[in-house]
Amino acid sequence: MKSEFTIEVGSSFEQLWRYNIALLCACLDEHDERIDFCSAERFVAPSGSKLREAPAGFEGPRELRLTTSPCHSIVAYIYVVTNTEPISNAIADSPPFDLKVKVRVGRKTLYNTIHKVSQWGGESIELKFKI
């Protein structure tokens, strides 16, 4: 039975503007063949920008959401890419921040987890779900 998957990614981290977030998802049929591809992105600035504060007028979303076309399973990747490194070089001044990831099919929650994201290296998360 085909269903739409909804993937939600969010964080309350105050300096989330220092990160670009990309969400990529392959939609698969019952034979694990790709039948569709969808993506969502929250782009703030190119990597290596060295921003001291959020760009002027930037009020970017703290959440990113993607809903797939009907399919049997998904393989999704979440990339949190640093565009601006922490100002302080002291590791203790830049602890990992929380990124909440939720995957639903209809009203049923399949996954609801908080991932720790390095302020220096960002994060790559792979998700695979079959219904």
Side-chain angles (χ1 to χ4, degrees):
M1 179 172 97
K2 291 183 177 181
S3 294
E4 293 179 344
F5 290 78
T6 299
I7 304 168
E8 299 172 351
V9 177
S11 178
S12 60
F13 180 52
E14 186 177 308
Q15 294 180 20
L16 194 61
W17 54 266
R18 293 183 16 233
Y19 302 87
N20 298 321
I21 302 174
L23 176 52
L24 311 170
C25 185
C27 305
L28 310 172
D29 66 13
E30 64 273 17
H31 306 291
D32 290 332
E33 297 292 327
R34 190 176 87 187
I35 56 174
D36 199 5
F37 179 83
C38 50
S39 64
E41 182 179 37
R42 180 184 166 275
F43 181 81
V44 179
S47 293
S49 290
K50 298 182 183 180
L51 302 173
R52 292 290 182 196
E53 59 188 26
F58 178 75
E59 304 242 351
R62 294 200 166 272
E63 293 183 2
L64 193 58
R65 176 179 294 166
L66 177 131
T67 300
T68 69
S69 59
C71 58
H72 288 89
S73 60
I74 62 169
V75 177
Y77 295 93
I78 301 165
Y79 298 106
V80 181
V81 181
T82 307
N83 66 51
T84 299
E85 293 181 348
I87 293 171
S88 171
N89 288 330
I91 293 174
D93 292 342
S94 304
F97 65 90
D98 291 345
L99 184 75
K100 184 175 182 178
V101 178
K102 183 186 279 190
V103 179
R104 291 181 290 114
V105 171
R107 293 183 181 173
K108 182 179 180 182
T109 299
L110 303 176
Y111 187 78
N112 189 9
T113 301
I114 295 190
H115 291 261
K116 295 292 186 183
V117 177
S118 165
Q119 288 196 47
W120 293 95
E123 188 64 57
S124 296
I125 302 166
E126 179 184 55
L127 303 170
K128 292 182 179 183
F129 292 96
K130 184 176 268 191
I131 53 170

